[in-house]
Amino acid sequence: MDPIHLTALAAILGEDSRVLTQPQVVERLSRDFYWYSPVLRKQLDGKVADVAVQPLSASEILGVLRYCHAHDLPVTVRGSGTGNYGQAVPLHGGVVLDLARMDRIDAIQPDGVAVCEPGVRLGVLENEARKAGWEMRCYPSTIVKASLGGFLGGGSGGVGSVAHGGLRDFGTVRMLEVVTMEGEPRLVRHQGEEVHDILHAWGTNGVITRIWLALTPAVEWSQCGVAFDNFDSAFDFSERIATDASWTKRLVTTFEWPIPSFFAPVRRYAPEDKALIFFLIASAECAALEAAARDAGGTVTYSGAYHGLRSTPLLSDYTWNHTTLWALKTDPAWTYLQCGFDPATVRDQFRQLKERFGDEILFHIEFMKNGSGQVIPGSIPLVYYTTEARLNEMIDYCRGIGVFVANPHVNNVEGGGRYRADNVQLLAKQRYDPKGLLNPGKMITFKPVDAAIEPAPIETVPTR
Ligand SMILES: Cc1cc2nc3c(=O)[nH]c(=O)nc-3n(C[C@H](O)[C@H](O)[C@H](O)COP(=O)(O)OP(=O)(O)OC[C@H]3O[C@@H](n4cnc5c(N)ncnc54)[C@H](O)[C@@H]3O)c2cc1C
């Protein structure tokens, strides 16, 4: 990058030390966890920004974006870089806008809304919220490291979603403040339904600088592990608990054997050849849950109080996409899909997948509430990777039997399967980033601002 730009960026921030050019540092800040996908690994290895800058305020971001707009410099926003799809990997060099230092919690309001800067780590937010009698409605299993801005920009849900749905549901994100990428960047607010313009847009249509996030009253939780002789009976029991609103739960995760054998630190709670369920359940209901599990033929393998994120063991460390991490530690050929099974035909869908793919697919179920309030069997199944063609065959087969797939092996918003059919993210990009400088290459339906907006080819995006 032309040294003139570096000098100018340092002048905008008023500090050389927040303009980072050391190659190892810039390389580190250009990466995320895309390497969980063998497909993305090939595409994204070696993609690196020219410089990383660390603003401390929205007004510094306004200055950086004004400069980058004037000089056609791409800008990729970064929270903590724990995304899985190369969301924060700059495809065209330029500037990484590292927001880790904008990490203030301004308020936990009496109405249970947290007002935060984007760089706040979710674990810090959860701890502070609990001190005030609240907790996060949902969070990714990367809670300790991930940032709130990154969760909104690239995440979807996680622990808590069985009770409260995903980030996009039930007004969890109340309001956002966003900096636009224009000749004269603006600070705009999105409230109510308009937050969907920006949510899960991978930082392609604005830089989120302040967030109003709805919390939920804190619950005293316990952790519980239950083993069953086979996956079918484990699934039946977990589905029963997950879909019965009278249980107060934060996590219901079901693993087919041999997935539990990958969890080295908690292997003693995973009997050989058994399917396993991990629960976060209200402490007041834990004994009743254990009794119900025994009645259903299960064996309680672990039961213990939950003392927040420092609990040992912390069962959520084995759930959501952490499951894939434990598998990868065992054998780097494991990868994963993100699926939604149909509650009405889920058992049939399991059977068909097993008949077709055998142990190439291992079931890992995460129950979650959808936007209509129904608890459904979401899933992050493990997939034993051989070739891209075989992976795509599995994705196509899933879709063919009615299993929804959000493909984690594509590097654009549209192809991931969580793109909104109403195009609001694209419309916001047209308004806020007319030159297409924010995370370029990640919203593939974007066209120059005066071109007609066409519906996104959601169904037709090739899975590669
Ligand atoms: C082991 C593992 C488990 C995971 N489990 C889950 C899970 O349970 N649920 C889940 O949803 N995800 C999960 N993820 C993905 C990821 O950890 C989360 O989505 C996390 O919230 C991302 O936060 P981050 O700060 O690391 O974001 P980053 O990776 O830094 O960024 C993610 C995207 O958001 C954009 N972005 C970042 N900050 C802003 C901002 N201020 N304004 C606009 N855009 C911004 C970035 O440009 C990027 O496109 C998992 C990943 C791993 C590796």
Side-chain angles (χ1 to χ4, degrees):
M1 174 175 276
D2 190 331
I4 289 175
H5 295 321
L6 304 180
T7 309
L9 289 167
I12 291 164
L13 300 188
E15 254 184 293
D16 289 358
S17 62
R18 289 191 280 121
V19 177
L20 310 174
T21 53
Q22 303 91 319
Q24 301 91 323
V25 174
V26 179
E27 197 178 312
R28 180 175 58 76
L29 293 174
S30 300
R31 285 176 66 85
D32 66 9
F33 285 75
Y34 66 84
W35 51 268
Y36 281 27
S37 161
V39 179
L40 294 182
R41 209 181 299 144
K42 273 190 284 184
Q43 286 173 25
L44 299 179
D45 273 351
K47 302 280 182 202
V48 68
D50 299 302
V51 62
V53 300
Q54 298 181 311
L56 299 179
S57 66
S59 61
E60 288 187 358
I61 295 176
L62 282 159
V64 170
L65 296 202
R66 186 182 299 115
Y67 184 84
C68 292
H69 184 275
H71 296 87
D72 292 331
L73 298 175
V75 174
T76 302
V77 196
R78 178 185 178 88
S80 301
T82 67
N84 280 123
Y85 329 122
Q87 293 161 313
V89 175
L91 297 181
H92 300 282
V95 178
V96 162
L97 196 66
D98 175 10
L99 299 189
R101 294 177 68 172
M102 284 179 64
D103 63 351
R104 269 205 326 263
I105 299 174
D106 287 331
I108 309 256
Q109 298 178 170
D111 61 350
V113 172
V115 186
C116 306
E117 289 188 326
V120 65
R121 292 200 177 199
L122 298 175
V124 173
L125 175 57
E126 166 77 0
N127 290 339
E128 290 305 308
R130 285 187 74 84
K131 283 183 203 160
W134 301 94
E135 64 186 28
M136 293 188 71
R137 290 183 178 186
C138 67
Y139 60 81
S141 56
T142 46
I143 178 167
V144 173
K145 195 171 171 212
S147 74
L148 182 56
F151 189 33
L152 267 55
S156 52
V159 179
S161 288
V162 64
H164 301 289
L167 255 188
R168 82 195 79 164
D169 299 317
F170 310 120
T172 292
V173 181
R174 289 285 156 85
M175 188 158 67
L176 298 170
E177 187 178 84
V178 180
V179 177
T180 66
M181 177 57 124
E182 300 171 280
E184 196 44 62
R186 292 172 291 148
L187 202 54
V188 291
R189 283 189 173 180
H190 284 239
Q191 195 170 359
E193 276 302 295
E194 288 182 1
V195 300
H196 298 291
D197 300 358
I198 308 297
L199 282 184
H200 205 79
W202 297 21
T204 59
N205 61 11
V207 178
I208 301 166
T209 48
R210 190 167 303 272
I211 297 143
W212 285 255
L213 186 81
L215 306 166
T216 187
V219 172
E220 192 189 317
W221 297 107
S222 287
Q223 305 187 100
C224 181
V226 181
F228 280 85
D229 282 345
N230 55 60
F231 176 74
D232 290 349
S233 42
F235 180 78
D236 288 348
F237 183 69
S238 56
E239 183 191 50
R240 202 176 103 202
I241 303 301
T243 56
D244 179 347
S246 66
W247 294 98
T248 309
K249 63 257 166 185
R250 209 178 191 188
L251 184 71
V252 181
T253 310
T254 312
F255 307 105
E256 178 182 6
W257 182 266
I259 296 177
S261 71
F262 303 150
F263 304 158
V266 292
R267 184 65 178 82
R268 63 188 177 284
Y269 309 123
E272 190 72 15
D273 226 12
K274 308 270 187 208
L276 192 65
I277 314 172
F278 281 164
F279 293 100
L280 262 180
I281 186 92
S283 297
E285 298 169 18
C286 192
L289 177 78
E290 291 173 13
R294 287 189 195 100
D295 284 351
T299 305
V300 177
T301 62
Y302 178 78
S303 178
Y306 171 77
H307 303 292
L309 300 170
R310 288 173 190 268
S311 304
T312 311
L314 183 63
L315 295 190
S316 63
D317 276 352
Y318 303 88
T319 65
W320 291 86
N321 219 15
H322 268 76
T323 307
T324 312
L325 179 61
W326 289 105
L328 277 163
K329 285 182 191 211
T330 310
D331 182 341
W334 286 111
T335 188
Y336 70 111
L337 287 178
Q338 299 172 148
C339 298
F341 286 91
D342 178 348
T345 58
V346 54
R347 288 167 182 77
D348 213 33
Q349 290 173 330
F350 287 157
R351 183 187 51 73
Q352 291 179 76
L353 277 164
K354 277 292 164 190
E355 275 173 18
R356 175 74 177 256
F357 296 103
D359 285 346
E360 265 178 84
I361 185 165
L362 297 179
F363 296 134
H364 156 205
I365 308 299
E366 296 287 354
F367 285 94
M368 58 187 305
K369 193 176 272 181
N370 67 18
S372 321
Q374 185 184 16
V375 175
I376 59 158
S379 178
I380 312 180
L382 293 178
V383 174
Y384 201 80
Y385 182 80
T386 47
T387 65
E388 204 173 325
R390 182 68 171 166
L391 181 66
N392 288 336
E393 186 187 329
M394 193 181 283
I395 292 170
D396 291 343
Y397 186 79
C398 282
R399 289 175 174 160
I401 61 168
V403 176
F404 167 80
V405 180
N407 188 353
H409 304 281
V410 291
N411 185 232
N412 55 70
V413 182
E414 294 89 338
R418 302 218 188 265
Y419 189 69
R420 289 177 60 96
D422 56 11
N423 275 325
V424 289
Q425 296 143 315
L426 173 61
L427 289 163
K429 186 165 176 75
Q430 299 274 10
R431 288 199 308 277
Y432 294 167
D433 179 28
K435 282 187 172 181
L437 291 169
L438 287 177
N439 211 353
K442 304 289 174 63
M443 192 182 280
I444 54 172
T445 46
F446 173 76
K447 299 214 172 71
V449 75
D450 51 355
I453 296 169
E454 293 165 12
I458 293 167
E459 295 303 326
T460 56
V461 171
T463 49
R464 277 180 286 156

